[in-house]
Amino acid sequence: GVIYIGVTYNIEERVKEHKKKIYPKSLTSRYNCDKLVYFEEFENGEEAIIRERWFKKWKREWKDNLIKSINPEMKDLSDEIEGFN
């Protein structure tokens, strides 16, 4: 599968967009990326962007290991986000 990495100021809306495939030509729609399996929160948007760029340089194995260290079953975490439902 595909691991999508992105930055947003509104995770609730971003997850809804991915699940509803609001943008059908987007990577997330084309590859059916609709599960939130890992996320980090930052106070500073610039720090989040730096972290995103760092992750995008990682090998797939490193990303998988990080995700599985927090979420070994790779379950959808969107229900755990305050305000999502």
Side-chain angles (χ1 to χ4, degrees):
V2 173
I3 294 178
Y4 169 79
I5 298 171
V7 173
T8 183
Y9 290 100
N10 188 333
I11 194 167
E12 295 90 358
E13 283 303 311
R14 178 65 65 88
V15 170
K16 286 177 187 177
E17 289 172 1
H18 292 320
K19 287 188 176 291
K20 293 179 180 180
K21 297 178 179 33
I22 300 295
Y23 304 104
K25 294 183 180 183
S26 70
L27 179 138
T28 57
S29 290
R30 287 182 291 149
Y31 289 94
N32 202 29
C33 297
D34 62 358
K35 280 177 44 179
L36 178 67
V37 294
Y38 180 86
F39 65 95
E40 295 181 6
E41 296 180 81
F42 292 87
E43 292 290 322
N44 180 310
E46 198 61 36
E47 290 175 14
I49 291 168
I50 291 168
R51 182 77 163 156
E52 175 196 28
R53 288 181 186 148
W54 188 57
F55 276 143
K56 287 185 176 185
K57 293 178 182 178
W58 278 22
K59 295 179 181 180
R60 172 63 187 252
E61 179 183 5
W62 299 351
K63 295 172 194 174
D64 286 341
N65 289 339
L66 174 64
I67 294 165
K68 289 178 182 176
S69 74
I70 304 298
N71 185 0
E73 297 170 7
M74 302 283 275
K75 67 179 186 170
D76 190 348
L77 302 175
S78 61
D79 289 337
E80 297 179 19
I81 299 172
E82 187 176 326
F84 179 72
N85 293 322

